[in-house]
Amino acid sequence: MLRFASLGSGSSGNCLMAEASGTVVMLDCGLTLTETERRLARLGLEPSRISAILLTHEHGEHADGALGFAAAHGVTVYLTHGTLAAMKADGRAIDGVRTALVNGRQAFFVDGVQVLPYTVPHDAREPVQYVLSDGAAKLGVLTDVGIPTPHLERNLSGLEALVLECNYDRDMLWAGGYPRWLKERIAGPFGHLDNRDSERLLGALDRSRLKHVIGAHLSQQNNRPDLVRQALARALGCAEDWIGIAGQDDGFAWRSI
Ligand SMILES: [Zn+2]
Ligand SMILES: [Zn+2]
């Protein structure tokens, strides 16, 4: 069995927990140390239980809390060579933190959790996203990606659970107050998925084993949970309230596959 939960998701911080065969891993850590510890307690998890922090990329809302948490609790940070280089170039305090390099094409194990990284188009140095497994059931996580690609479809087909970015509603983004360059960055091929992109991607996957679909990384300015539920429910032909939402403050509670 694999279980997973989120401490929070969105442009102010992302952190997801997964546990299989007694091993707990953290996927991204974009909250402060205090906030991460507080929210872990909400899930009933001691920091000492965490075996690894898997980073997707260096953007602050994914990586800002990782080194502090890793140093405080002696946890190894797994990241790509490019993410490590970008964090060093930013002058982040990597000294004294144990790191392990991730190859975006190579699966590996953190004790009881199988980790399958896959590469994604996003405006970071060497971004990856992850599929996590207990050897049987699979959880796919995809946020921070500009456009759906066949490579993503292959990696996310046949999963039991999917946490899927629904960053913005196109009309809300273009009508909103962001500067033009930022709108273009978000909507560009190395930006983020909008509700329609995610609906199309979900519709193109093998969904025969899916038991959980959760919309994630919602923009608080440019999206609404009801629009996300509508879009993803259309792709699945299911009731809107079956679609989960990962909130910025509350994430979502444990789910099992
Ligand atoms: Zn992000
Ligand atoms: Zn990003």
Side-chain angles (χ1 to χ4, degrees):
M1 188 190 79
L2 185 145
R3 67 172 190 156
F4 60 101
S6 167
L7 301 190
S9 176
S11 39
S12 312
N14 296 271
C15 188
L16 182 134
M17 306 304 303
E19 177 175 14
S21 321
T23 304
V24 179
V25 299
M26 177 182 277
L27 201 167
D28 282 335
C29 186
L31 302 164
T32 63
L33 178 58
T34 326
E35 195 55 27
T36 308
E37 290 171 345
R38 194 179 70 78
R39 296 187 191 194
L40 282 172
R42 202 163 67 191
L43 292 178
L45 272 182
E46 292 289 334
S48 60
R49 296 237 14 239
I50 298 166
S51 296
I53 301 175
L54 310 171
L55 288 187
T56 58
H57 63 304
E58 67 272 23
H59 289 162
E61 82 268 24
H62 299 268
D64 270 356
L67 300 179
F69 190 91
H73 297 291
V75 183
T76 304
V77 179
Y78 289 72
L79 72 186
T80 63
H81 178 76
T83 302
L84 177 60
M87 290 176 75
K88 281 183 177 163
D90 281 354
R92 297 197 225 192
I94 202 108
D95 291 344
V97 173
R98 237 184 1 254
T99 56
L101 287 182
V102 170
N103 172 337
R105 290 191 186 81
Q106 212 170 329
F108 60 95
F109 279 89
V110 177
D111 300 326
V113 177
Q114 187 183 24
V115 183
L116 304 111
Y118 61 101
T119 55
V120 294
H122 186 57
D123 53 6
R125 192 80 72 94
E126 191 187 351
V128 288
Q129 294 287 326
Y130 295 99
V131 171
L132 304 176
S133 173
D134 62 353
K138 286 181 183 166
L139 158 70
V141 178
L142 177 66
T143 69
D144 298 76
V145 59
I147 41 169
T149 64
H151 181 63
L152 299 183
E153 289 174 18
R154 270 196 304 280
N155 278 281
L156 297 175
S157 274
L159 305 174
E160 277 73 11
L162 177 60
V163 174
L164 177 60
E165 163 162 75
C166 294
N167 186 254
Y168 64 99
D169 171 80
R170 227 165 261 218
D171 295 337
M172 286 177 75
L173 175 73
W174 290 106
Y178 280 11
R180 184 166 185 91
W181 66 265
L182 183 55
K183 291 178 180 177
E184 284 174 352
R185 198 219 120 200
I186 292 168
F190 296 96
H192 293 273
L193 293 180
D194 81 314
N195 297 342
R196 254 180 8 201
D197 289 332
S198 301
E199 177 184 341
R200 203 166 30 139
L201 174 61
L202 185 54
L205 302 179
D206 171 357
R207 304 179 299 279
S208 56
R209 303 167 70 91
L210 263 184
K211 296 182 186 75
H212 302 272
V213 173
I214 295 151
H217 212 307
L218 276 67
S219 162
Q220 287 175 307
Q221 281 78 34
N222 302 316
N223 211 351
R224 293 201 316 262
D226 62 304
L227 297 175
V228 170
R229 287 201 180 89
Q230 279 168 24
L232 299 185
R234 262 196 310 270
L236 294 173
C238 70
E240 287 172 20
D241 61 6
W242 189 82
I243 305 291
I245 298 288
Q248 181 66 78
D249 297 325
D250 47 0
F252 58 84
W254 289 111
R255 293 174 176 236
S256 298
I257 51 176

